[in-house]
Structure formats: structure tokens, C-alpha cells
Amino acid sequence: MTRHLARGLLVLIALSVSGCAAFSPDSGMTDVSDLTSQTINKDVAFVRTAEGANAVDARVRQLLSRTLSADAAVQIALLNNKGLQAVYNELALAETDLVEQSLPPNPVFAISRISGNGASEIERQVVGDILALATLPFRSEIARDRFRGAQLRAALATLRLAADVRRAYVRTVAANEMVVLLTDAKATAESTAQLAVQLGETGSLNKLDQAREQVFYAETTADLATARQAATSARERLARLMGLWDGGLDFRLPDRLPPLPRRPQALPSIEVDAVAHRIDLQIARLELAALAKALNLTEATRFVTLLDLAGISRRTQDPEGPPFRERGFDVQFQIPIFDGGEVRVRQAAETYNLAFNRLTERAVNVRSEARDAYRVYRSTYDIAGHYQREIIPLRKIITEEMQLRFSSMQVDIFALLTEARQRLASLRGAIDARQRFFLAQADLQTAVNGGGVPTAGGDNPTTIAAAAPAGGGH
């Protein structure tokens, strides 16, 4: 009987081991790379060796040697951001959980010896968890779903980092463009203020007009200081996202934002695309499926939660007779007498219902976020285009006409300066409008593919994704 049980236990273990998961060469990064390349067409790398680190450093230095584009900034961040590398480390840890959950439980070996009055007894036991072996295929399948969820979370963190880098890049270039504009405006305002002082000393300009020119110079100086601080902070944030040390802060950026595209994107089926492609929605679906399998497993094992089988071999030495052996087995199982397994089943069912409602809410929000992102994208495109086509050309015409009239002495210098102040306001509005459009463009891509609205204010966009649980189970 004992030999048959031991053989059956060994056969069951052998069958279980044949379906075990093994470690992949890249810790599941191939699927992450495929998911992200479909959206952003950039390389990702899990740096685990010195050779890999050297290759990444060489690639980063090559990208930094030229004027940095938005695509180059994103590529540097995907290779060099240590927070993203930490997310990939969590993916590797998730793979260890997958392998562990797909392995059968280790048998327990026990040896005991009791002696006294010349007699001795030696007992050997091999204990195996039969219930864990029987449910191994189900638990392994649940573990695979959870690992797939970890891969999706790593892809989501990658896309969020790419979107945050694009936003930081747009803000940095726009801030630099604003600094250049306000620097020129300050020089003009300073000359005007000095002229106003000279005219006031001769009595040609009253105190009210002098004060107006002085306050314009003071306000422009304050605006320039604010713009410089904003540009410095934006540059530092961009450097943080790209994972650069102090030596990398001398990267070059273009002088101004790129022109608007000729026509905006037409996305008539944006809601359908968002529901089909949003990675956070895919994660919610996968977690719901895993919880459904966990619920089925809990219901199947509600009455028996512990089933251990032990093979026993005992040798007894009696001083009054020859030694003899005894063999047998021991079965231990737990029956939930007091709750009938209802507590575990109820917990699993409510956990599943919670995840289902969260998924439904997420799907509703995804559609709304996609619609809103596209409306903002189209609106900011139209506003920026209005500045580019109407306001700025008209301001140029007005400035040229005012200069002609000033040359022919039809208007005085202060009318010309008033027009210069108004033109400055229009130019600042145009820069802000283009910045808003490119930020909306990044948000639109995120709303369709990368996980929804941008996170507020954090330096590390991978924090939320990294902190997401690998999935619960019962």
C-alpha cells in the first residue's frame, strides 16, 4: 500500500513538473517591446549586464551629441531612466512568481528516533500536499495571467514615460522661446524707459506717460525673470526624465517649437480605438479573468482546504526479540465545519464583483477621456492655427504700417511703442497656443494607447504603474 502511494505521488509530481514554466531569456521583455513599438516605435532595453550598460551609454551620448528632438528625448529616457528600469526589475520578479507557482510543492521528509530501556524506534515519513498537486494546473494558469498583467503594466509604464517626456520637451522648448522673446522685449522696454526719462527732464513728457513706460519696463523685467525660472525648471525636469546626471545638462534644444501640421488628425472611431488598445483597460480585463479562475478554484476547494498524504516506514528494535518493520500511511485533511467554506467563497465572489465594477467604470472613463482628448486636440489646433494664419500676420501688417507712419511723422514714438506692446502680447499668445497644441497632441496619444490622462506633478511617471499590485488571488 505504501509503495503504491509513493509511486502514485511520484507519478503525479512528474506529470506536474512536465507542465512547469521556465525562466525566459529576457524576463518577458519581448512582449513589452512589441506592445510599445506598435505605438511609439522606439527601442526599449532591460539593462542587466555591464555590456548592456555600456551599449546604452554609447547610444545616449550619440543622441545627446546633436540638437535634441522630441523623439530623441523619448529614446534617451526609455534607455536611461532608472525608474523605468526598476519597473522592468519588477517584471523579472513577477516571472519568478510565475515559475514558483507552476512548480509542485516540495515534499516534506521527517525522521524521528525514540530509544529507552534498550529498545529503539526509528520512523521515517514522506509528506506531500495532494491538494496542491491536484490544483497545480489551475494555479499555474492563474499565475500566467498575472505575469501577462505584469508585462502589460511594464508596457504601460513605458508609454507613460514616453508621454511625460514629450510633455516636458514641449514645455522646455516653449519656455526657451518665451525667454528669447521677453529678452528682446526687455531691451526695447529699457530703451523706451530711458527715453521717457530724458523727455521728462526736458518737459516734453508728463509724469503719467513716464510712469507708464517705466512700469512696462518693470513688468517685462519681472516676466523675463519668471520665464527664465520656468525654463530652468522645465529643463531640469526633462533631464530627470531622461535620467541624466549633471554632465548631461548641456544638451542642446531647438530655438522654437516646430510649426503646426498642415491638417489635424481625423479620428472618427477614437472611442472604439481607445477601448480596443488602451493598455490599462487590457490589464483590468486580464485581472478580471484571473479573478474568475481564482473564484472557480475557491468554489472547487471550499470543503477541503488541506489534504496531506504521508508515507510512513517504522523500524523497531526490541532487546527481547528481533527487529521488525512497520509500513503505512497517514492522511490529513481539513473540513471547514464552522463556516462550510462560505467565508472564502464570499470573499472571492466579492473580489470578483469589485473588479468587474472597476472594469466597467474604467471602460466608461476610457471612452470619455478619448472624446475629451480629441476635442481638446482639435480646439488647440484651431486656436494655434488662428494665431498663425490671422493674428500674427495682421500684427505684422500693423507694425509695418505704424513704422511707415512714424517715418513720415504721422504718429509719435509712443504710439509705435504701444503697438509694440500689443504685438508682444500676441506673440506670447501664439507661443502659448502652439505649446498647448503639442501638449494636447501628446495627451491624445496617451488617451488612445497609453493609459489615460497625465499624472499630476510627479517626477517619475512610472510610480503608479510600479506600485500596482501583481494581482490578488484566493
Side-chain angles (χ1 to χ4, degrees), residues 24 26-46 59 75 78-79 84-85 87-88 91 147-148 150-159 162 279:
S24 60
D26 59 353
S27 300
M29 281 298 298
T30 299
D31 289 345
V32 175
S33 178
D34 292 342
L35 284 168
T36 55
S37 62
Q38 293 172 6
T39 302
I40 56 178
N41 195 26
K42 294 290 181 293
D43 297 329
V44 296
F46 185 16
R59 181 79 182 279
Q75 184 61 82
L78 296 184
L79 296 175
L84 186 61
Q85 291 297 312
V87 173
Y88 296 159
L91 176 60
F147 178 64
R148 176 60 178 169
Q151 290 178 310
L152 290 175
R153 280 189 291 274
L156 179 60
T158 304
L159 293 179
I279 294 183

Side-chain angles (χ1 to χ4, degrees), residues 107-127:
V108 177
F109 297 89
I111 300 177
S112 63
R113 183 179 185 276
I114 301 175
S115 62
N117 295 327
S120 65
E121 181 179 278
I122 299 175
E123 181 177 288
R124 294 180 290 272
Q125 292 188 25
V126 180
V127 184

Side-chain angles (χ1 to χ4, degrees), residues 397-456:
I397 293 174
I398 293 172
T399 299
E400 292 173 350
E401 290 297 321
M402 289 294 291
Q403 289 175 346
L404 290 174
R405 282 164 173 73
F406 175 73
S407 299
S408 60
M409 303 184 66
Q410 297 180 27
V411 296
D412 59 16
I413 182 64
F414 297 106
L416 188 64
L417 294 174
T418 299
E419 167 54 29
R421 288 196 289 269
Q422 294 173 348
R423 183 170 182 268
L424 174 63
S426 296
L427 292 174
R428 295 178 68 174
I431 294 174
D432 184 67
R434 277 189 291 121
Q435 175 183 236
R436 290 178 182 274
F437 165 74
F438 286 110
L439 291 175
Q441 189 178 53
D443 292 346
L444 177 63
Q445 186 182 47
T446 305
V448 175
N449 298 298
V453 295
T455 56

Side-chain angles (χ1 to χ4, degrees), residues 303-306 333-338:
F303 295 114
V304 179
T305 58
L306 173 67
F333 56 93
Q334 182 185 75
I335 300 177
I337 297 175
F338 299 105

Side-chain angles (χ1 to χ4, degrees), residues 281-301:
L281 203 56
Q282 295 180 44
I283 293 173
R285 293 192 192 103
L286 196 63
E287 289 178 346
L288 185 66
L291 286 173
K293 295 173 183 176
L295 176 59
N296 293 334
L297 180 60
T298 302
E299 290 177 341
T301 59

